[in-house]
Amino acid sequence: MKKHKIGIIGFGGAGIALFQHFERFSDCSVTSVLDIKETAFERARFYLPSIFTTYSLTEFLNSGIDIVVVTSPDNTHADYIADSLSAGKHVLCEKPLTDSIEGIRKILDAIARHPGQVVGVQHQMRCLPVHTEIHNIVRQGQLGKIGYIEGYYVHNLTKRAFEYDEWRLRDNATPLIYSGIHFVDLLRWIMKDEVVEVCGMANNICFPEYPESDLNVILLKFRSGVIGKVVTAFGAGRPQDHTVQIYGDQRSIFNNMLFEKDGGFKIFARPKKNTLPGRKQAFIKDLAITGFSNMFEKLMKIYPYNAQYNIGFYPIRLYEHYLAVNQSAKNFLDAVNGEAKLQCTALDAARSVAVALAGVEAYRTGATVQVKKYWPKELGQL
Ligand SMILES: NC(=O)c1ccc[n+]([C@@H]2O[C@H](COP(=O)([O-])OP(=O)(O)OC[C@H]3O[C@@H](n4cnc5c(N)ncnc54)[C@H](O)[C@@H]3O)[C@@H](O)[C@H]2O)c1
């Protein structure tokens, strides 16, 4: 008998992904799905014929589950979190935690009334080995004084955006709130600092079918004076790019490379052999990438580099999606079991939402926007 029974709300792309992870953990099983479409139930039964499916939230919450995983559209998260907490469940919610100030207030109020239940947020970018290492290097002060940090969420969504549902169209899901928030959150987490001011621009050229804009670029001013940049692009004709770059006065980071002033470099994260269950194909591919990148690194060390023309790119798959989602989901389960601290709390995720909301106003109006406008007092002092 498994320890935890999980119900998933919204069985589209993110719901399927989290279903697969939770089904592979030894101490839980997914037993229920709530959705608004029969096609979602058919998908769920394809994976697990015996799964309980329903359109009714009451039936869902009474179906014997103790954990709710919220993978429905962004603007539904707040109500589902509040209702699940009232019903005594632990909750894991997909990012963004919500898409409005009202949503933030509703969620934090519900959490305050149910302090014994765990509410985690799937900001899995924090769980990637390369990002954990960047976080450690910055915390140890290895970069010296930091002036600049940037992150790229470049993911061609022209096929994926409307595959299971058209909520991105219905709800005008801006790239920044829906995806760029990954890097708003990552940059805040790495810097351990808050953003106070945002300006930005957007256009709708490369993927005009996407509502309002498919490219958002925002500049962030942190409390410390550090300048940040987040680029979110859904229509770029290229593979995914999740670059992180940081400039310090002693050392700088470009993805998994730590640069010295004289042009020397150190690789601090290497491609991982993916040994997660059910990933045989990926394992074989990863072996080849690992071999190639090791050879590349050795050549770059032999070749006499200089400060001007240095190694510019190290072959690593920057965003190991499966690994990141797995680690993040496992961290939530460990927190429910009282064995770990949450990687990303709802309060912290809410602060990322506030910055992203300021960013949306900034690129829509062309004005520089103060984050405090979107910072309800429940988020603490800014
Ligand atoms: N962490 C990540 O990297 C990541 C990746 C993708 C999506 N997400 C997030 O996951 C959530 C879902 O995105 P997706 O890509 O899976 O969307 P999707 O369009 O693939 O699937 C959405 C599912 O929700 C259902 N749905 C729609 N309205 C609903 C409602 N009111 N109640 C219950 N179900 C409803 C749809 O029928 C569909 O099955 C969003 O919040 C999104 O931002 C996170």
Side-chain angles (χ1 to χ4, degrees):
M1 176 90 165
K2 304 252 180 145
K3 196 167 162 190
H4 299 292
K5 288 201 166 50
I6 296 178
I8 296 181
I9 301 182
F11 205 77
I16 295 169
L18 281 172
F19 168 88
Q20 291 174 329
H21 288 284
F22 281 114
E23 275 293 279
R24 287 196 181 115
F25 295 141
S26 58
D27 61 346
C28 63
S29 55
V30 182
T31 56
S32 311
V33 163
L34 171 75
D35 205 289
I36 55 163
K37 286 188 178 171
E38 181 57 32
T39 46
F41 299 151
E42 285 161 16
R43 279 195 293 279
R45 285 194 287 267
F46 168 79
Y47 288 103
L48 189 63
S50 63
I51 201 158
F52 174 72
T53 58
T54 177
Y55 297 110
S56 154
L57 180 62
T58 312
E59 274 185 17
F60 174 79
L61 292 172
N62 289 334
S63 64
I65 53 177
D66 61 321
I67 290 175
V68 170
V69 173
V70 180
T71 51
S72 48
D74 299 350
N75 72 2
T76 64
H77 293 180
D79 284 344
Y80 282 139
I81 292 173
D83 290 338
S84 303
L85 286 174
S86 296
K89 317 296 175 192
H90 302 290
V91 182
L92 176 64
C93 181
E94 265 299 352
K95 56 41 53 189
L97 176 67
T98 179
D99 64 352
S100 65
I101 300 190
E102 298 72 38
I104 292 177
R105 288 207 175 101
K106 182 163 203 164
I107 292 165
L108 296 184
D109 176 60
I111 290 173
R113 284 187 286 110
H114 301 94
Q117 287 148 246
V118 176
V119 180
V121 186
Q122 239 343 62
H123 268 300
Q124 76 269 9
M125 288 285 172
R126 294 186 182 196
C127 294
L128 274 181
V130 61
H131 294 160
T132 313
E133 272 308 304
I134 291 176
H135 184 264
N136 293 342
I137 289 169
V138 170
R139 295 271 69 76
Q140 291 157 2
Q142 290 193 46
L143 305 189
K145 287 186 282 180
I146 293 174
Y148 178 73
I149 179 164
E150 67 176 3
Y152 285 70
Y153 189 94
V154 180
H155 186 179
N156 190 299
L157 285 189
T158 47
K159 287 215 178 81
R160 167 73 179 88
F162 314 120
E163 192 178 352
Y164 298 118
D165 189 27
E166 302 221 315
W167 66 270
R168 292 167 181 87
L169 280 180
R170 277 197 310 269
D171 306 342
N172 205 16
T174 72
L176 181 56
I177 302 277
Y178 154 59
S179 279
I181 196 153
H182 270 305
F183 281 87
V184 169
D185 182 75
L186 189 79
L187 269 44
R188 284 184 52 250
W189 178 69
I190 290 172
M191 295 309 300
K192 218 177 178 181
D193 194 4
E194 290 304 344
V195 176
V196 289
E197 209 172 275
V198 191
C199 61
M201 289 188 190
N203 69 29
N204 205 188
I205 296 170
C206 289
F207 183 13
E209 297 77 17
Y210 198 84
E212 184 201 68
S213 59
D214 59 280
L215 174 77
N216 303 165
V217 181
I218 55 166
L219 291 180
L220 315 167
K221 187 168 180 191
F222 284 86
R223 209 156 32 191
S224 58
V226 169
I227 292 172
K229 181 174 90 175
V230 172
V231 175
T232 317
F234 287 171
R238 54 156 297 148
Q240 294 192 42
D241 177 21
H242 297 102
T243 290
V244 172
Q245 181 156 219
I246 311 177
Y247 298 159
D249 69 338
Q250 299 303 312
R251 293 184 186 84
S252 291
I253 283 179
F254 181 73
N255 293 326
N256 61 336
M257 292 179 287
L258 183 67
F259 288 109
E260 303 285 341
K261 275 191 255 187
D262 68 0
F265 71 92
K266 189 175 132 193
I267 310 288
F268 59 82
R270 292 182 168 75
K272 266 207 169 336
K273 291 182 199 96
N274 198 333
T275 52
L276 293 171
R279 301 289 288 168
K280 268 197 203 109
Q281 265 187 328
F283 178 73
I284 293 163
K285 259 196 215 155
D286 289 349
L287 268 184
I289 294 169
T290 310
F292 172 63
S293 51
N294 284 347
M295 192 177 73
F296 179 81
E297 188 179 340
K298 289 208 168 71
L299 281 173
M300 290 310 294
K301 296 269 185 197
I302 295 167
Y303 190 77
Y305 56 79
N306 65 44
Q308 268 182 346
Y309 301 101
N310 200 340
I311 177 175
F313 180 77
Y314 181 89
I316 180 174
R317 187 151 46 98
L318 285 175
Y319 177 43
E320 297 162 291
H321 178 80
Y322 193 87
L323 183 68
V325 172
N326 187 279
Q327 298 294 314
S328 180
K330 176 148 189 343
N331 167 259
F332 166 76
L333 212 51
D334 290 346
V336 170
N337 289 330
E339 292 161 6
K341 250 179 83 176
L342 273 178
Q343 260 278 2
C344 184
T345 63
L347 181 65
D348 212 17
R351 292 177 178 143
S352 295
V353 172
V355 177
L357 288 170
V360 172
E361 181 185 334
Y363 76 66
R364 278 184 183 159
T365 62
T368 297
V369 178
Q370 303 299 314
V371 174
K372 65 172 183 254
K373 188 171 168 189
Y374 292 92
W375 195 269
K377 65 174 182 345
E378 291 84 344
L379 296 189
Q381 215 184 340
L382 182 60

